[in-house]
Amino acid sequence: MTDATSQALALAQQARAQLTAPGAPFEVIECPVGDRVERRYRNAFPTLPALLAASRAHGDKPYIKYQGETWTFTRFFAEADAVASWLHKAGVCPGDRVAIAMRNRPEWAVAFVATALLGAIPAPLNSFGLREELHAALADLAPKVLFCDPERHARIAGEGAPALVTVVTDGALAGTESYAALVAQPAEPPPVANVGPDDPALILFTSGATSRAKGVLSTQRAVCQALFNIDFIGALSAMSSPEAVARIMARGLAPTTLTAVPLFHVSGLHAQLLTALRNGRRLLFTHRWDPATALDLIAAEKVTQFNGAPSMVLQLMSEPRFDDPAVTGSLGGLGFGGAGLPQRAIDEVLRRPQGEMAGIGFGLTESNGVAAAASGAVFRHAPRASGLISPIIDLRIIDADGNPLPAGSMGEICLRGVTVMEGYWNDPEATANAMRGGWFHTGDVGYVSDDGLLFVVDRIKDVINRSGEKIAAAEVESCLLQHPSLNEAAVFAMPDEGTGEAVAAAVVVREGFRVSEAELQAHVAAHLAGYKVPARIFMREDALPRNPAGKLLKGDLKRECLGAA
């Protein structure tokens, strides 16, 4: 370790001690939970309704800008109150689920906040999902109401669609409620939510390693503690990188984030939408991701922060105009989320002034994004690390037998703490498998250095991480095997410079049948979201390799296919 790295870490550890001390803004307290002690931030809001009530104070400050239209906090809460009032009249109570299926837009946020105001459970769906995926999620949730845009409604409606109250944006459709009509009606103040910190607050879907996405259920306390932890990371970064922060502050620009990551992810919902709501910051929503358009918005709106998957940040930095101060001179930081950093991304961001307060973190939907993080000086001096472990998370590394390992030893990363999920919705078996002995087993492999930095080096779970989107190999395999021409199918990750990982498959065609790679790709595209379609399909005549017990030797298969690619 270099002297500069040691100094940066020492400054960060000193700042952490000051911020979390008794009486400090981020004071950490210890609370008994069963036979152990759980660390929490004393000053975090206890529930989402309490957090939202405090956020109304931002008044007429701009909150969200989308397609040229600005929503102030006042307008935003007026629409959220109107929708919450309608939901209450529709019989939505604390604990009921309300599903949201639409692209990033202000109405998405309104539906979420209106649901949370009542103490009901917002359940955002993957907006990339196709009919079968959306139907499966809705069947699992059994929501009282669904909010969606016309595109998602077209995917859901028709044969097999669940019978539920549906609110659609952008006009009225037969058999649905019009969002515009709801917010145009005089609204009574919604009732005060009767919920406590241990009550359910949120369901987010994650692919995990199974064939179907699982709903991750979190409590009010878990979500609010996670949001407060984001503020802690910001304060720690500022205190450990004082010169960089001073230069950014001297520009006098209002904090503005370009939001291009999906709101149904923790990285979009917690770190951007709800953090900006709590702190009175401005968000810019993009209609769809395009790096050239993103640069136009950064220049025109004086964007100060952009966070995205490594592939998105790389695409942005590859644009010819990125190094023009007139275009990106307002940027004070670039954040990476959703995937491990390739060396190219590190090299590119560290050589540019816009990366002065660059950062990265490690967390999962199951931990509400909280585990480790680093930005500013700590990131610049230890960019391969995923950061310093959060003050409110216990993290340990275990071997294959579940035994804790010492610092520097590589094994599975396990998490325990206040932000960890209650469990998977309607899936006690998966919950028991993931939560063993009170610890959430992440399926990620890593180690903790002697100075407290977490390094994530691999994944155990059979999940493909394409630009931050988690893709369960079992789901794609199941889809491929629905094709009548196939006898076997195995799906795995292949390296891809643009997306980090791409989906690859090896298939065995049934005797007497013929099928092309393009036909199989079209088959998957007809049933699953586009990002789950295999980029390469290796056609085989021989059976897939298996051991004497019949277990698929996927590692051998992957080496065989990629070695021949």
Side-chain angles (χ1 to χ4, degrees):
M1 181 183 297
T2 65
D3 290 342
T5 302
S6 297
Q7 292 172 5
L9 290 173
L11 188 58
Q13 295 287 13
Q14 179 182 353
R16 172 183 169 128
Q18 293 175 351
L19 288 168
T20 59
F26 297 91
E27 177 184 353
V28 172
I29 58 174
E30 295 185 339
C31 302
V33 177
D35 58 355
R36 64 183 178 89
V37 170
E38 184 176 86
R39 296 186 302 281
R40 302 172 184 168
Y41 292 117
R42 179 187 292 277
N43 297 320
F45 285 99
T47 64
L48 277 176
L51 182 149
L52 296 173
S55 301
R56 295 177 185 271
H58 302 307
D60 290 330
K61 290 178 64 176
Y63 177 34
I64 297 173
K65 187 169 184 179
Y66 177 63
Q67 295 190 325
E69 185 177 13
T70 295
W71 293 48
T72 65
F73 285 88
T74 298
R75 175 187 172 181
F76 178 83
F77 274 108
E79 296 206 6
D81 287 343
V83 173
S85 177
W86 177 85
L87 286 171
H88 177 62
K89 293 176 183 177
V92 174
C93 301
D96 288 338
R97 279 78 62 206
V98 173
I100 305 170
M102 63 179 87
R103 67 167 66 251
N104 287 7
R105 52 188 296 164
E107 293 89 345
W108 193 110
V110 168
F112 183 96
V113 168
T115 303
L117 284 171
L118 296 177
I121 307 173
L125 308 185
N126 185 332
S127 62
F128 298 128
L130 300 185
R131 177 186 295 270
E132 294 172 23
E133 298 162 287
L134 294 171
H135 280 191
L138 290 171
D140 192 28
L141 287 170
K144 278 280 187 73
V145 177
L146 165 67
F147 286 86
C148 61
D149 54 23
E151 184 178 355
R152 256 48 58 174
H153 180 265
R155 297 180 192 176
I156 293 168
E159 184 179 353
L164 75 163
V165 178
T166 302
V167 180
V168 181
T169 62
D170 304 324
L173 296 172
T176 70
E177 300 285 344
S178 165
Y179 174 90
L182 297 188
V183 299
Q185 296 176 0
E188 300 175 5
V192 177
N194 183 24
V195 294
D198 294 318
D199 289 323
L202 173 66
I203 295 174
L204 288 178
F205 281 87
T206 182
S207 290
T210 62
S211 60
R212 285 181 57 175
K214 299 190 293 292
V216 175
L217 176 66
S218 295
T219 66
Q220 300 280 342
R221 179 184 288 115
V223 175
C224 290
Q225 289 280 327
L227 294 173
F228 205 70
N229 189 70
I230 295 170
D231 289 348
F232 165 78
I233 293 168
L236 180 67
S237 300
M239 289 181 66
S240 56
S241 308
E243 296 86 2
V245 171
R247 285 190 288 271
I248 292 171
M249 296 295 291
R251 300 171 187 166
L253 298 174
T256 301
T257 298
L258 177 62
T259 299
V261 295
L263 294 176
F264 58 79
H265 280 324
V266 165
S267 55
L269 176 60
H270 290 39
Q272 298 190 37
L273 181 71
L274 294 178
T275 294
L277 184 68
R278 166 70 186 96
N279 293 296
R281 296 172 185 159
R282 189 167 71 117
L283 299 175
L284 296 177
F285 285 175
T286 57
H287 186 66
R288 60 173 53 87
W289 170 245
D290 175 73
T293 303
L295 281 182
D296 292 338
L297 287 170
I298 289 170
E301 302 291 342
K302 301 299 180 187
V303 171
T304 61
Q305 182 71 32
F306 176 74
N307 299 336
S311 60
M312 297 170 70
V313 180
L314 280 170
Q315 289 167 18
L316 197 67
M317 291 190 294
S318 296
E319 288 289 312
R321 294 181 293 153
F322 184 83
D323 290 315
D324 183 352
V327 177
T328 59
S330 60
L331 278 177
L334 295 167
F336 296 93
L341 284 191
Q343 187 62 47
R344 176 186 160 205
I346 294 172
D347 295 340
E348 289 288 332
V349 76
L350 290 182
R351 71 180 181 85
R352 287 177 157 94
Q354 300 92 336
E356 191 167 34
M357 286 298 289
I360 192 171
F362 171 73
L364 304 95
T365 307
E366 289 90 342
S367 65
N368 280 281
V370 180
S375 64
V378 173
F379 174 80
R380 296 189 70 83
H381 292 295
R384 299 300 299 175
S386 291
L388 294 165
I389 300 168
S390 166
I392 56 171
I393 280 286
D394 295 326
L395 186 151
R396 72 179 184 183
I397 309 295
I398 63 169
D399 63 18
D401 297 321
N403 302 310
L405 295 170
S409 298
M410 195 176 301
E412 184 178 9
I413 301 167
C414 296
L415 306 176
R416 184 178 68 180
V418 63
T419 66
V420 173
M421 68 173 183
E422 284 292 283
Y424 294 116
W425 179 256
N426 283 342
D427 199 338
E429 182 178 350
T431 300
N433 185 56
M435 299 290 298
R436 285 170 266 162
W439 291 86
F440 171 63
H441 291 241
T442 67
D444 292 289
V445 175
Y447 65 93
V448 178
S449 65
D450 290 333
D451 46 343
L453 286 168
L454 174 66
F455 288 80
V456 182
V457 298
D458 204 349
R459 283 191 301 280
I460 298 173
K461 293 177 180 176
D462 196 9
V463 172
I464 300 156
N465 197 339
R466 183 185 183 278
S467 295
E469 293 292 339
K470 306 298 192 302
I471 303 166
E475 182 182 31
V476 184
E477 289 167 355
S478 176
C479 183
L480 280 167
L481 288 173
Q482 292 175 19
H483 196 285
S485 299
L486 296 187
N487 201 28
E488 290 187 287
V491 172
F492 49 88
M494 60 183 288
D496 183 87
E497 184 172 347
T499 61
E501 289 182 348
V503 182
V507 300
V508 179
V509 181
R510 294 174 61 186
E511 187 175 353
F513 284 74
R514 294 176 62 87
V515 65
S516 68
E517 179 180 14
E519 288 173 324
L520 291 175
Q521 288 169 327
H523 167 75
V524 176
H527 296 276
L528 301 180
Y531 67 86
K532 299 178 182 180
V533 176
R536 284 291 312 275
I537 298 180
F538 300 91
M539 316 295 286
R540 295 171 57 93
E541 294 181 357
D542 298 330
L544 299 181
R546 299 181 184 275
N547 66 13
K551 182 179 179 181
L552 178 65
L553 300 175
K554 191 171 281 191
D556 292 350
L557 177 65
K558 182 176 179 179
R559 285 188 290 272
E560 178 184 335
C561 292
L562 298 184

